[in-house]
């Protein structure tokens, strides 16, 4: 494709994502005001000591920014000056691992809703009962949860209550995601910014909090990041087709297939891969490379699905639930529930005796009636509210899915977090605003931006459209929320170019690196 058309497409993508991020940023501010007001009201009750704690934390942060070149900074420089890139990465991974371990131990979440059903039914699967996958049982209607249930069932071979063991594996997978965030950004920019990206993901609140819940995204995210990493390696390569690239293509598709079997949004990634390749690499390279990714994406899913059907475990392919996807779109157009789950739309399959053709036909007609009979103003307001409920929730509903249903019998931390919700949500909001601010900043400065960022613009745009169409939940945005870190790195880089080179095989001066981190405070 000619350079002029590529430039127009890139600018169009840039402006679209810029506007979307700006809307999210503006919609996030009310959350901060609400949480801050709620925190102030709670403080006045009987816990004045919290004021001192919050003041102390705020004071430390201010000191780090204001006195970045004074004695405090010097001590930090001397302490870390001899560390290598490798050792720093290990420290970041260890720090992220410890944060996640502490969370799952201090907040012992008990699975509920869909997560509870998956966890409990997994025990029956381990005992050989596959009725939940047959006829019109829940997991036959929503076959995309099948692999997660089978995965959970493996843990019942070791203990009758494997909840903590599952959470520990969640922590390992989440820490793996931090590592691959480093790998992706290091490949796009440099290893220094890769370390910064890894650190940001290590402390990103939803990626800590959701480890205590039995959700499939905990398993899917690292596989999606692995797939993206190999795709970045592919598009970074400007030479002719070679043996290493065939390996990258293979692992890109295979990791995407694995991720999709846990959380079925892999088609969005695959479409983004195809679009980026065709636009930025041309049809000739696309014809040689894309078939390998597509084949290694579909073949494993087909083989596993066929194996499950052959052994009588399931009756349908993993991607072909007995309840048509139109019901999700139907819920996503319900004005009263702002596109969220609702009883009115959820009972439609029962009305038509779970006949997929009749359900799909009825869903389409109801959707058509809703949109055609509503005014443009009502539709616009509805989708703005729906959009905000999906993307402008700073913790991606991690608090609601983890803390309220945590056991309080032996956890004073859970009791505290239940009483003072804002102690979690204020830092989460500030961190999210930080990412959004620098993400927007990165899109305002296109000069010298790596071409690979265009892929992430396409990917993010795909998820924005998907979540606008389907049933809304804030946690659905969690699967792609790591992308804000990649955008934000571009904003941080454009304002603070590092003045030192990174050598992975030896130490580098941390005085420059930490100065760079501390200097971010000047923007606020």
């Amino acid at each position: 494709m000619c350079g002029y058309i590529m430039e127009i497409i890139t600018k169009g993508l840039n402006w679209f994502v810029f506007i979307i991020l700006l809307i999210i940023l503006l919609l996030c501010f009310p959350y901060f005001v609400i949480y801050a007001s709620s925190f102030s009201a709670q403080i006045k009750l009987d816990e004045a000591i919290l004021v001192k704690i919050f003041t102390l934390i705020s004071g430390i942060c201010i000191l780090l920014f204001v006195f970045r070149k004074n004695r405090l900074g010097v001590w930090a420089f001397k302490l870390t000056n001899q560390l290598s890139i490798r050792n720093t990465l290990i420290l970041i991974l260890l720090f992220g691992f410890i944060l996640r371990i502490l969370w799952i131990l201090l907040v012992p979440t008990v699975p509920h809703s869909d997560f509870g059903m998956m966890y409990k039914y997994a025990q029956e699967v381990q005992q050989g009962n596959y009725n939940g996958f047959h006829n019109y049982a829940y997991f036959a209607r929503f076959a995309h949860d099948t692999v997660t249930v089978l995965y959970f069932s493996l843990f019942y071979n070791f203990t009758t209550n494997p909840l903590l063991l599952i959470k520990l594996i969640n922590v390992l997978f989440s820490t793996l995601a931090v590592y691959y965030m480093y790998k992706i950004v290091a490949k796009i920019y440099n290893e220094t910014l890769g370390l910064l990206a890894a650190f940001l993901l290590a402390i990103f609140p939803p990626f800590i909090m959701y480890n205590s819940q039995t959700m499939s995204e905990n398993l899917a995210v690292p596989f999606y990041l692995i797939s993206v990493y190999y795709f970045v390696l592919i598009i970074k390569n400007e030479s002719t087709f070679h043996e290493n690239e065939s390996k990258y293509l293979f692992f890109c598709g295979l990791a995407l297939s694995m991720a999709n079997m846990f959380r079925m949004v892999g088609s969005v990634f695959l479409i983004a891969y195809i679009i980026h390749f065709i636009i930025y690499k041309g049809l000739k390279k696309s014809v040689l490379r894309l078939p390998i990714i597509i084949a290694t994406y579909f073949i494993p899913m087909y083989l596993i699905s066929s194996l499950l059907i052959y052994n009588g475990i399931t009756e349908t392919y993993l991607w072909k639930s007995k309840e048509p996807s139109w019901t999700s779109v139907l819920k996503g157009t319900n004005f009263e529930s702002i596109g969220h789950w609702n009883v009115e739309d959820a009972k439609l399959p029962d009305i038509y005796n779970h006949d997929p053709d009749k359900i799909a036909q009825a869903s389409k007609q109801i959707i058509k009636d809703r949109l055609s009979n509503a005014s443009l103003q009502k539709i616009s307001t509805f989708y703005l509210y729906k959009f905000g409920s999906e993307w402008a929730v700073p913790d991606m509903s991690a608090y609601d899915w983890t803390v309220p249903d945590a056991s309080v019998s032996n956890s004073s931390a859970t009791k505290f977090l239940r009483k003072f919700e804002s102690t979690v949500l204020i830092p989460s909001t500030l961190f999210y605003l930080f990412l959004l601010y620098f993400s927007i900043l990165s899109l305002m400065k296109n000069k010298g931006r790596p071409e690979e960022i265009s892929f992430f613009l396409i990917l993010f745009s795909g998820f924005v459209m998907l979540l606008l169409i389907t049933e809304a939940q804030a946690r659905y945005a969690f699967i792609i929320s790591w992308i804000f870190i990649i955008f934000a790195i571009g904003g941080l880089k454009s304002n603070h170019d590092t003045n030192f080179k990174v050598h992975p095989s030896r130490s580098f001066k941390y005085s420059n690196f930490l100065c760079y981190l501390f200097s971010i405070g000047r923007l606020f």
Side-chain angles (χ1 to χ4, degrees):
M1 191 172 292
C2 70
Y4 178 71
I5 297 176
M6 281 192 342
E7 186 179 351
I8 292 175
I9 293 173
T10 303
K11 285 183 177 179
L13 282 169
N14 193 85
W15 273 106
F16 176 76
V17 175
F18 173 81
I19 292 169
I20 292 297
L21 293 178
L22 190 60
I23 293 172
I24 297 173
L25 181 68
L26 294 174
L27 292 175
C28 274
F29 277 108
Y31 279 90
F32 178 70
V33 174
I34 292 169
Y35 296 149
S37 301
S38 173
F39 182 69
S40 300
Q42 292 166 340
I43 289 295
K44 294 176 182 177
L45 294 175
D46 57 352
E47 303 289 339
I49 189 171
L50 289 178
V51 176
K52 298 179 181 179
I53 295 173
F54 238 62
T55 303
L56 177 62
I57 294 173
S58 300
I60 291 173
C61 292
I62 292 170
L63 284 173
L64 286 173
F65 288 141
V66 174
F67 299 104
R68 58 190 177 277
K69 292 183 180 179
N70 290 343
R71 187 63 60 184
L72 183 65
V74 173
W75 292 341
F77 305 153
K78 289 182 178 180
L79 180 66
T80 59
N81 199 39
Q82 299 304 314
L83 293 177
S84 65
I85 289 288
R86 177 177 175 274
N87 290 338
T88 306
L89 179 60
I90 290 172
L91 284 178
I92 291 172
L93 294 175
L94 184 61
F95 178 65
F97 178 81
I98 292 172
L99 285 179
R100 286 154 176 75
I101 287 290
L102 288 174
W103 178 265
I104 66 171
L105 294 177
L106 295 175
V107 184
T109 303
V110 178
H112 68 288
S113 188
D114 297 356
F115 305 136
M117 292 176 62
M118 288 191 289
Y119 175 71
K120 291 174 183 176
Y121 180 59
Q123 185 173 20
E124 296 184 39
V125 171
Q126 190 273 334
Q127 296 169 354
N129 179 8
Y130 304 126
N131 291 331
F133 298 127
H134 295 169
N135 298 318
Y136 292 102
Y138 183 85
F139 296 111
R141 292 166 55 206
F142 303 103
H144 57 269
D145 289 327
T146 300
V147 172
T148 306
V149 174
L150 295 174
Y151 165 78
F152 289 156
S153 70
L154 297 176
F155 292 91
Y156 282 98
N157 291 311
F158 304 102
T159 173
T160 56
N161 184 21
L163 187 56
L164 181 58
L165 185 57
I166 290 173
K167 293 178 181 180
L168 287 172
I169 301 301
N170 286 347
V171 170
L172 292 176
F173 271 91
S174 185
T175 306
L176 182 65
V178 174
Y179 172 73
Y180 271 96
M181 175 57 72
Y182 159 78
K183 297 282 284 184
I184 291 168
V185 175
K187 184 58 63 174
I188 295 173
Y189 291 107
N190 58 54
E191 288 175 304
T192 309
L193 292 174
L195 292 174
L196 179 58
F199 176 73
L200 291 174
L201 190 62
I203 64 172
F204 198 172
F207 284 87
I208 297 172
M209 299 163 69
Y210 269 131
N211 282 282
S212 63
Q213 185 55 270
T214 55
M215 57 190 290
S216 58
E217 285 88 340
N218 289 321
L219 307 167
V221 167
F223 282 114
Y224 278 124
L225 287 174
I226 292 170
S227 178
V228 168
Y229 169 67
Y230 281 107
F231 186 74
V232 169
L233 289 180
I234 295 163
I235 60 179
K236 266 282 189 182
N237 174 55
E238 297 295 338
S239 62
T240 57
F241 191 84
H242 56 85
E243 184 179 352
N244 284 339
E245 189 172 4
S246 64
K247 294 178 182 177
Y248 299 158
L249 292 163
F250 175 82
F251 286 117
C252 176
L254 182 61
L256 187 63
S257 183
M258 291 292 296
N260 190 63
M261 282 188 278
F262 286 110
R263 181 63 180 163
M264 289 208 169
V265 291
S267 57
V268 183
F269 285 82
L270 184 62
I271 292 170
Y273 291 164
I274 294 171
I275 291 174
H276 185 275
F277 237 110
I278 292 174
I279 293 174
Y280 294 96
K281 298 300 179 183
L283 284 173
K284 185 178 179 180
K285 288 188 176 181
S286 300
V287 169
L288 289 172
R289 293 160 176 81
L290 287 177
I292 299 177
I293 297 178
I294 294 170
T296 52
Y297 170 68
F298 282 110
I299 290 174
M301 284 193 295
Y302 178 79
L303 291 176
I304 291 175
S305 291
S306 300
L307 188 63
L308 292 173
I309 294 171
Y310 178 78
N311 286 281
I313 297 173
T314 61
E315 295 177 335
T316 61
Y317 291 107
L318 296 173
W319 60 87
K320 196 175 183 180
S321 298
K322 290 188 176 181
E323 183 165 312
S325 56
W326 277 104
T327 57
S328 177
V329 181
L330 177 67
K331 298 184 187 82
T333 59
N334 191 294
F335 290 99
E336 285 70 32
S337 67
I338 318 179
H340 289 242
W341 187 93
N342 60 90
V343 176
E344 177 189 357
D345 295 331
K347 67 183 181 182
L348 191 69
D350 293 326
I351 294 173
Y352 291 96
N353 295 317
H354 299 283
D355 185 311
D357 294 329
K358 292 181 179 179
I359 293 170
Q361 186 178 356
S363 297
K364 292 174 187 178
Q365 186 60 47
I366 295 171
I367 293 167
K368 182 181 177 180
D369 293 340
R370 284 174 179 172
L371 297 179
S372 60
N373 294 328
S375 65
L376 182 61
Q377 181 182 358
K378 183 177 181 180
I379 293 173
S380 301
T381 304
F382 163 73
Y383 277 107
L384 181 63
Y385 273 100
K386 182 184 178 182
F387 178 82
S389 70
E390 294 172 315
W391 294 100
V393 182
D395 71 331
M396 312 291 168
S397 290
Y399 179 94
D400 294 332
W401 283 104
T402 56
V403 177
D405 289 285
S407 173
V408 296
S409 56
N410 296 313
S411 178
S412 56
T414 301
K415 295 177 183 176
F416 174 83
L417 292 175
R418 282 190 184 181
K419 187 174 183 180
F420 299 101
E421 177 181 356
S422 299
T423 56
V424 172
L425 298 181
I426 288 178
S428 297
T429 306
L430 289 173
F431 187 83
Y432 196 46
L433 290 172
F434 170 87
L435 292 181
L436 290 171
Y437 172 79
F438 282 104
S439 295
I440 292 170
L441 211 59
S442 71
L443 296 179
M444 292 172 64
K445 299 186 177 182
N446 299 322
K447 188 176 181 180
R449 189 172 67 193
E451 185 184 285
E452 295 77 29
I453 297 301
S454 299
F455 159 71
F456 294 100
L457 295 177
I458 296 170
L459 181 62
F460 179 66
S461 300
F463 271 95
V464 168
M465 290 186 282
L466 174 69
L467 297 187
L468 274 179
I469 294 170
T470 55
E471 176 191 343
Q473 278 197 43
R475 74 176 178 87
Y476 290 163
F478 170 70
I479 194 75
I480 194 64
S481 58
W482 49 265
I483 205 169
F484 295 121
I485 293 176
I486 293 177
F487 289 150
I489 290 296
L492 291 165
K493 178 183 182 296
S494 63
N495 282 274
H496 300 280
D497 288 324
T498 54
N499 58 356
F500 58 96
K501 295 181 179 180
V502 181
H503 301 280
S505 60
R506 65 173 187 267
S507 302
F508 65 91
K509 291 293 182 179
Y510 260 71
S511 55
N512 293 331
F513 179 62
L514 291 179
C515 273
Y516 161 68
L517 293 179
F518 292 147
S519 66
I520 293 171
R522 281 182 284 183
L523 294 175
F524 300 96

